[in-house]
Amino acid sequence: VSRCRGGIQTGAVDGDLELDGCYRPYCIRTGLSLVQPGIKILSEKMTGGEAMIRAAKANGTDTIFGLPGAQIYPMFDAISRDPDITSIISRHEQGAAYMAYGYAKATGRPGVFSVVPGPGILNASAALCTADGGNQPVVCLTGQIMSAFLGKGRGHLHELADQQATLRTIIKHADHIAD
């Protein structure tokens, strides 16, 4: 899911997200619209996690590696309700990211993983750097603290001072999806 002009390779879930005319899901690789005949994705109310999983599925994702946690439970709820997506749970964030990297390298398809923000993303950063250096298509889906507290330094669970800026130093693209 993207805001009118650009795809995501990592995004953040921020509670409920109503997809309306401002959001344009599309394929990161081809740039083609994900809005298909008979699928009402733009007018339906859903959580941010559901929107991200639907967009991943529309891009051909059938396997998501990950480690569930507080800010990404809506994504794992959506995965558990979708019989077409398999979740493979790791014991550590780095393991989930390297599994996605290995999947991408072995299949030639984007490897997708999900970890909690802050320390979860930092734990996965070595695999993100490896995927970038190895030119493998790896997508990380993560969550975020509540928008009202972003950048406030209040010490929320898994808070990172500027997660997107941190990620932009090591990967191709990072974005935050908000309402």
Side-chain angles (χ1 to χ4, degrees):
V1 178
S2 68
R3 187 130 12 234
C4 295
R5 292 195 271 302
I8 60 169
Q9 280 200 308
T10 185
V13 175
D14 189 29
D16 285 340
L17 173 68
E18 185 170 338
L19 295 178
D20 58 23
C22 291
Y23 291 91
R24 303 282 189 264
Y26 76 94
C27 177
I28 293 168
R29 289 180 134 193
T30 66
L32 298 175
S33 173
L34 297 181
V35 182
Q36 302 166 5
I39 297 176
K40 294 178 75 179
I41 193 168
L42 293 179
S43 62
E44 193 175 334
K45 186 167 174 108
M46 64 185 77
T47 67
E50 289 171 307
M52 291 172 74
I53 297 307
R54 286 188 187 188
K57 182 178 177 179
N59 272 288
T61 298
D62 62 3
T63 304
I64 298 178
F65 304 93
L67 188 59
Q71 294 89 349
I72 57 173
Y73 285 147
M75 276 192 277
F76 280 91
D77 289 344
I79 292 167
S80 72
R81 288 190 298 271
D82 192 324
D84 298 327
I85 298 180
T86 301
S87 63
I88 299 175
I89 307 302
S90 67
R91 291 184 178 204
H92 190 275
E93 293 89 351
Q94 193 175 64
Y98 273 115
M99 283 189 250
Y101 170 74
Y103 178 90
K105 195 167 175 106
T107 66
R109 298 175 52 210
V112 181
F113 74 99
S114 182
V115 295
V116 296
I121 285 291
L122 294 176
N123 284 339
S125 64
L128 289 170
C129 289
T130 303
D132 187 52
N135 200 28
Q136 295 301 317
V138 171
V139 179
C140 175
L141 304 173
T142 190
Q144 186 56 284
I145 64 171
M146 295 178 292
S147 291
F149 298 105
L150 284 172
K152 304 267 195 261
R154 301 277 308 269
H156 284 270
L157 179 65
H158 300 145
E159 182 177 3
L160 188 61
D162 192 343
Q163 182 166 278
Q164 282 69 45
T166 301
L167 287 169
R168 285 184 189 117
T169 66
I170 59 172
I171 62 174
K172 183 177 178 181
H173 186 78
D175 206 354
H176 176 86
I177 300 169
D179 50 27

